[in-house]
Amino acid sequence: MKKILLLSILIITIQGYSQKKTLQTQFTDENISIDGKLNEEAWKNAATASDFVMFTPDNGKAIPDTQKTEIKVLYNHDAIYIGAMLYDNEPDKILKEISQRDNFGTADIFGVFINGFNDGQQNFEFFVSAADVQGDCIMTDINGEDYAWDAIWSSKATITGNGWVVEVKIPYAALRFSNENKQTWGINFFREIKRERKKYTWNLIDTKIGTFTQQNGNLEGIENIKPPTRLFLMPYSSYYVNAGSGQKTYGTIKGGMDIKYGINDAFTLDAILIPDFGQTKYDDQILNLGPFEQKFNENRAFFTEGTDLFSKGKMFYSRRIGGTPSTEPTLNEDEEIIESPQTVNLINALKVSGRTKKGLGIGILNAVTEKTYATIRNTTTGETRNEVLEPLANYNVLVLDQRFRKNSSVSLINTNVTRNGQFRDANVTGLVWDLNTKANTYNLSGNFKYSTINDTKDKNGFYSTLGLAETSGNYRYSVGTDFVTKDFDPNDLGINFYTNYYNFYGNANYRILNPSKHFNSFRIDYNMYAEFNKESGKVQDNTIGIELNSTTKKNNYFGIGITLIPLESNDYYEPRAENRYVIIPRKIESWGSISTNYNNKFALDLNPSISILDQPGRMSYGVDVGPRYRFNDRLLMIYTFSFFRRNNNKGYIDTVNPETIVFANRNVITYSNTLSGKYAINSTMTLNLAVRQYWSYAENKNILELEPDGTLTPYPQYTENKNSSFYSWNADLSYSWWFAPGSQISALYRNNASNFERIIDKNFGNNVRNLVNNDALKHIFSISVKYFIDYNGVKNKIRNKV
């Protein structure tokens, strides 16, 4: 009888978890003060959402009574209000590190996920930490959480004797929903108890199912609200002071405005007029010895916020807009370059994005860059001339993304670059599909991309891929293949390095879905990959690997991996010449990773690696060591030291003529030191420090010639010095104050210096001193003010005065 009763309770519990919970909200005309007290009468009569269950690590387990969570929701004609009581029987142990927006640090978190169309496609997520720090993002199953999206909303968190309280006001202008009289929204609530590293949700998010956004509950009772006019203006003004040795100190004033306009309940127009990116984070430049350019992260807000549609198919690399010119200066024998800009100025940019009720996402991005010149001087006559490096250019991205069955999509993407005059034009079109079974157990994905280049020599090419995966349960697998032609070239508005190959790959993995005796999480993967040159059929790459990733019961992370390259491969890219290749020996690689629990004041990240090649003395090894210390809830410091060494590395250094390609047998050593720090004055005001010192050098031991069969032989007659030494220094000290919702004052002091040399000075101290001195450093001080103007807020103030 007891067994039958227990089985019945289990069945009822499982059924309850599989069903969507429903919360009834109610209208209020009472003025709700966002003070974290929940003392208005309207809160007392509102329905309560409770009975949270664990998301991770023990999926589905009920929250303890000592940490029960109760949520209430109200609404009026302007906004939705959320009140949360997060009980804790040990309130003095609630973690509450003060951090920057969207970066919660070591703190408890409350969140609300809202889908106004209740279509399982996209959540608008709003978070508040126990330190009263806000965070927000857009969540889709395909792209995950996009924290570059920032909304304007109000919140207040307070610690009490019973736990902590959160009060939130989200204006309708921050959401997307229909104009129907009666509405049912998708909603879920989230709580993370940081000291225990446990996450809970109101409606169960079943980790055995490969979806997140489809597992919301329902919010009912919303009636007679209309999407507001979404018109936001963000004027800004900046002042820059530039100083450096050998130049006169000068100041620059800049001003401009961002505009955000809701075309309808689903689509939004974003535009930047007279852009100013002077305070964006610096790029981490490296000594690049390889055949491809260095790929940089995008740090400009306009190109990171709300760009999930434009990431479809991985065809859009936003750093192309305002990047390096598409051509280089052409010089006569008696000419030299006086000035050659490394970037092209952006004139303006706009984007339109959104999704219809039937799941059709539409994204349009357009940007215009200005005509850019190099200044060239005749060394004999002294006369100067200008040469166009980049004409007036138009960049355009179009995306049509049809979602269906709440978990699948088919996308059509087009990128186009049109340059004025006889300069190169480019067009790439792609079809991308991501198909999941109704139960989210299997996935079929792939794409077909076609590129057209109009230049002095036109060319066309294509890239295609197809993959199949099982996406649920403890055991999962995936297989796939790619096929790329030689002339596929998306690099005018995208980025792609490898062409002219086909490959096959597979993965099989096992993971635990609930904690075991020793682990909160545990996963082991087995990977295989084989790549072949499309024309010759030669092996370009081949790997067999196994890796393990785990988190212990004390929330320390451990990982290890071993990769075997059992066959010689042929590198068709390093020689920088068509149909030439260099043979890469067989090798074995291994890596390890340790990351201790960040809840502790002191934590450590450690990442060693080693690679041994089947060639005498040829190997590489390195380590990253990253201690971090949280002095208190306001002050955090993180230091990282990285070292990497390649012994007897074989790499390209020069082309004497089409038949003679010169390589070097070299040692390559890299050091870097980074220091970052944060001091939070309060939840809206922080001081931040970022320092990076980098040094890498390649010392050639002997010179080699690449033979037609891919082998390397001695080439002692080449005597030119092709050693390389690059060192750089970057330091940013910044102050940020969000003095009103969406409005910010920021101040930045930046100094930087870099140098490239052929003569290697192996004295580490000398290299640092050569950069950190007044003769080498460039100094920039800037202050910027951005103010957020909401059309609805202005309208309401005028109406209230009248």
Side-chain angles (χ1 to χ4, degrees):
M1 183 67 182
K2 288 183 178 178
K3 291 183 179 179
I4 294 174
L5 179 61
L6 288 172
L7 181 60
S8 300
I9 293 173
L10 178 61
I11 293 173
I12 292 170
T13 302
I14 293 173
Q15 288 176 342
Y17 284 167
S18 64
Q19 296 172 354
K20 286 181 176 292
K21 294 180 178 179
T22 298
L23 176 65
Q24 195 76 19
T25 184
Q26 66 182 40
F27 180 84
T28 181
D29 54 9
E30 185 177 0
N31 182 41
I32 305 295
S33 177
I34 306 303
D35 53 14
K37 296 180 179 179
L38 305 182
N39 54 4
E40 289 84 3
E41 283 296 320
W43 288 120
K44 298 178 182 179
N45 301 319
T48 301
S50 58
D51 300 325
F52 277 51
V53 291
M54 194 178 295
F55 173 47
T56 60
D58 199 354
N59 188 234
K61 184 178 181 180
I63 195 169
D65 289 338
T66 55
Q67 295 168 333
K68 67 179 181 178
T69 305
E70 296 178 347
I71 314 297
K72 298 183 177 185
V73 177
L74 301 170
Y75 76 99
N76 59 22
H77 292 301
D78 300 315
I80 185 171
Y81 299 82
I82 298 98
M85 285 291 303
L86 303 111
Y87 291 93
D88 197 314
N89 62 324
E90 297 178 297
D92 57 323
K93 292 185 179 180
I94 295 173
L95 295 175
K96 49 185 184 302
E97 180 188 356
I98 307 173
S99 58
Q100 289 181 287
R101 183 187 176 107
D102 292 335
N103 181 9
F104 301 109
T106 306
D108 282 25
I109 302 170
F110 167 75
V112 55
F113 309 156
I114 297 176
N115 183 329
F117 293 104
N118 200 20
D119 57 6
Q121 297 179 17
Q122 178 175 264
N123 284 341
F124 290 80
E125 299 185 353
F126 304 85
F127 299 93
V128 184
S129 77
D132 198 29
V133 175
Q134 287 187 351
D136 45 26
C137 68
I138 292 177
M139 168 69 185
T140 61
D141 284 335
I142 296 175
N143 296 310
E145 293 179 326
D146 176 14
Y147 280 93
W149 177 77
D150 287 321
I152 307 302
W153 50 289
S154 303
S155 62
K156 182 62 180 178
T158 57
I159 305 293
T160 70
N162 298 317
W164 59 299
V165 180
V166 179
E167 195 166 15
V168 176
K169 175 185 177 181
I170 304 174
Y172 294 139
L175 302 170
R176 305 290 183 271
F177 54 90
S178 71
N179 55 9
E180 297 175 358
N181 290 332
K182 291 187 177 182
Q183 302 194 24
T184 298
W185 290 3
I187 198 166
N188 212 345
F189 306 105
F190 171 87
R191 180 182 182 182
E192 180 176 7
I193 302 174
K194 196 70 173 184
R195 69 178 182 273
E196 299 176 357
R197 290 290 184 96
K198 293 179 179 178
K199 300 176 181 179
Y200 298 88
T201 57
W202 171 58
N203 201 77
L204 172 69
I205 299 176
D206 189 345
T207 56
K208 294 189 294 294
I209 301 174
T211 180
F212 188 94
T213 58
Q214 296 174 49
Q215 301 191 65
N216 289 336
N218 291 325
L219 180 68
E220 296 181 346
I222 299 177
E223 299 181 3
N224 301 317
I225 66 170
K226 297 297 180 182
T229 300
R230 292 184 288 116
L231 176 59
F232 310 118
L233 306 176
M234 285 158 281
Y236 54 82
S237 180
S238 305
Y239 180 69
Y240 295 84
V241 177
N242 294 264
S245 177
Q247 71 174 44
K248 184 178 179 181
T249 300
Y250 64 95
T252 305
I253 297 176
K254 295 183 179 181
M257 184 165 62
D258 293 352
I259 300 173
K260 188 183 292 285
Y261 174 64
I263 299 171
N264 56 27
D265 59 352
F267 290 91
T268 302
L269 165 70
D270 292 271
I272 49 175
L273 307 176
I274 315 176
D276 177 17
F277 302 123
Q279 291 193 339
T280 54
K281 183 183 180 296
Y282 57 79
D283 290 324
D284 292 339
Q285 291 185 312
I286 63 172
L287 174 63
N288 186 4
L289 299 172
F292 307 118
E293 63 182 298
Q294 182 182 352
K295 183 178 180 180
F296 294 109
N297 294 328
E298 179 59 84
N299 299 313
R300 299 170 295 180
F302 178 85
F303 294 106
T304 60
E305 181 181 334
T307 56
D308 59 306
L309 272 175
F310 301 105
S311 65
K312 293 285 183 179
K314 299 180 180 178
M315 293 171 57
F316 177 47
Y317 176 46
S318 58
R319 289 295 295 264
R320 296 293 185 209
I321 301 174
T324 57
S326 58
T327 65
E328 296 181 356
T330 54
L331 299 178
N332 298 318
E333 291 184 0
D334 57 350
E335 289 184 326
E336 63 180 2
I337 298 172
I338 300 301
E339 183 180 6
S340 181
Q342 298 302 303
T343 58
V344 178
N345 289 332
L346 176 65
I347 297 175
N348 54 51
L350 64 84
K351 59 189 176 191
V352 176
S353 60
R355 192 173 294 276
T356 68
K357 295 179 184 178
K358 294 185 178 181
L360 177 61
I362 303 174
I364 300 171
L365 186 147
N366 185 267
V368 179
T369 57
E370 72 177 14
K371 197 172 187 179
T372 304
Y373 298 89
T375 303
I376 299 170
R377 183 173 61 191
N378 186 299
T379 56
T380 303
T381 65
E383 295 179 350
T384 61
R385 65 180 178 89
N386 291 331
E387 181 177 325
V388 178
L389 299 182
E390 182 75 9
L392 185 72
N394 183 84
Y395 296 80
N396 193 77
V397 184
L398 170 65
V399 181
L400 301 175
D401 175 54
Q402 179 63 59
R403 289 181 183 167
F404 52 93
R405 212 169 51 226
K406 295 186 177 182
N407 66 353
S408 300
S409 67
V410 176
S411 307
L412 179 68
I413 307 106
N414 177 263
T415 65
N416 181 274
V417 180
T418 302
R419 297 182 174 92
N420 194 30
Q422 301 301 313
F423 285 78
R424 166 182 167 129
D425 297 331
N427 189 84
V428 184
T429 300
L431 180 67
V432 179
W433 58 91
D434 184 69
L435 310 176
N436 294 279
T437 57
K438 187 174 181 179
N440 287 295
T441 52
Y442 292 93
N443 171 268
L444 178 68
S445 62
N447 62 62
F448 180 86
K449 308 170 189 175
Y450 188 82
S451 68
T452 300
I453 303 298
N454 300 120
D455 202 356
T456 52
K457 181 181 179 181
D458 296 348
K459 61 178 182 178
N460 305 302
F462 71 86
Y463 176 109
S464 63
T465 182
L466 183 67
L468 174 68
E470 183 181 8
T471 56
S472 65
N474 297 88
Y475 295 92
R476 306 184 189 188
Y477 69 86
S478 64
V479 293
T481 181
D482 300 336
F483 188 94
V484 191
T485 63
K486 180 188 293 185
D487 289 332
F488 176 71
D489 186 357
N491 290 310
D492 288 77
L493 197 45
I495 187 165
N496 181 75
F497 296 145
Y498 301 98
T499 61
N500 200 36
Y501 72 89
Y502 59 93
N503 64 26
F504 305 96
Y505 47 87
N507 167 272
N509 64 77
Y510 168 81
R511 72 194 69 192
I512 61 173
L513 300 176
N514 296 91
S516 65
K517 182 179 180 181
H518 300 291
F519 297 100
N520 280 335
S521 67
F522 180 90
R523 173 172 169 167
I524 187 167
D525 286 76
Y526 174 73
N527 304 292
M528 295 186 67
Y529 181 85
E531 180 181 303
F532 304 90
N533 183 269
K534 187 178 71 67
E535 295 178 349
S536 69
K538 290 181 177 292
V539 175
Q540 289 191 173
D541 198 1
N542 63 108
T543 62
I544 300 172
I546 187 169
E547 63 180 58
L548 181 151
N549 295 277
S550 65
T551 306
T552 68
K553 302 294 286 187
K554 293 185 177 181
N555 292 305
N556 297 312
Y557 164 80
F558 296 92
I560 190 171
I562 298 175
T563 300
L564 177 67
I565 292 84
L567 304 175
E568 286 185 344
S569 56
N570 302 274
D571 186 344
Y572 279 83
Y573 310 102
E574 183 65 20
R576 278 83 151 173
E578 190 171 351
N579 298 323
R580 298 294 298 273
Y581 61 90
V582 61
I583 296 174
I584 306 299
R586 298 176 299 173
K587 63 179 175 179
I588 185 170
E589 302 173 335
S590 182
W591 60 268
S593 182
I594 297 172
S595 181
T596 62
N597 191 344
Y598 285 4
N599 285 356
N600 301 324
K601 283 185 173 294
F602 176 80
L604 179 69
D605 294 324
L606 181 64
N607 300 285
S609 64
I610 188 170
S611 176
I612 301 174
L613 287 80
D614 186 18
Q615 199 171 76
R618 189 169 178 180
M619 65 180 301
S620 62
Y621 54 91
V623 65
D624 297 332
V625 183
R628 54 191 293 143
Y629 191 79
R630 190 175 73 256
F631 294 85
N632 50 46
D633 287 339
R634 300 178 185 274
L635 179 61
L636 171 70
M637 299 295 290
I638 304 171
Y639 168 72
T640 302
F641 169 74
S642 298
F643 169 80
F644 192 69
R645 181 183 180 106
R646 289 180 283 175
N647 288 339
N648 292 307
N649 170 261
K650 310 297 191 294
Y652 168 92
I653 59 170
D654 200 1
T655 298
V656 176
N657 55 59
E659 288 74 36
T660 306
I661 299 174
V662 183
F663 275 57
N665 179 40
R666 62 198 181 190
N667 291 338
V668 184
I669 297 93
T670 302
Y671 305 87
S672 73
N673 294 274
T674 62
L675 178 67
S676 62
K678 174 265 314 180
Y679 181 78
I681 300 169
N682 54 44
S683 61
T684 61
M685 194 181 299
T686 56
L687 289 167
N688 299 282
L689 174 69
V691 178
R692 177 179 182 261
Q693 175 273 325
Y694 174 89
W695 177 35
S696 183
Y697 67 88
E699 185 176 23
N700 300 327
K701 300 166 63 177
N702 51 289
I703 306 302
L704 307 168
E705 181 182 2
L706 178 64
E707 299 295 339
D709 63 356
T711 60
L712 297 169
T713 57
Y715 191 60
Q717 55 267 46
Y718 187 90
T719 58
E720 186 175 348
N721 179 11
K722 286 290 184 175
N723 290 336
S724 300
S725 179
F726 174 74
Y727 45 100
S728 65
W729 168 272
N730 297 89
D732 281 5
L733 177 63
S734 62
Y735 164 82
S736 174
W737 176 29
W738 293 91
F739 62 91
S743 302
Q744 182 187 29
I745 295 176
S746 57
L748 170 68
Y749 168 69
R750 168 175 293 169
N751 63 50
N752 62 84
S754 63
N755 195 21
F756 176 84
E757 296 176 337
R758 292 295 184 189
I759 298 175
I760 300 173
D761 181 354
K762 295 184 180 180
N763 187 301
F764 183 86
N766 288 343
N767 285 288
V768 174
R769 284 189 292 270
N770 287 341
L771 293 178
V772 188
N773 62 69
N774 287 331
D775 291 333
L777 286 173
K778 298 177 182 178
H779 306 269
I780 302 174
F781 175 77
S782 61
I783 185 166
S784 179
V785 180
K786 177 178 67 174
Y787 192 75
F788 176 81
I789 301 172
D790 181 2
Y791 165 80
N792 295 292
V794 174
K795 182 180 69 174
N796 292 337
K797 286 182 180 180
I798 295 174
R799 184 178 58 193
N800 292 335
K801 287 182 179 181
V802 174

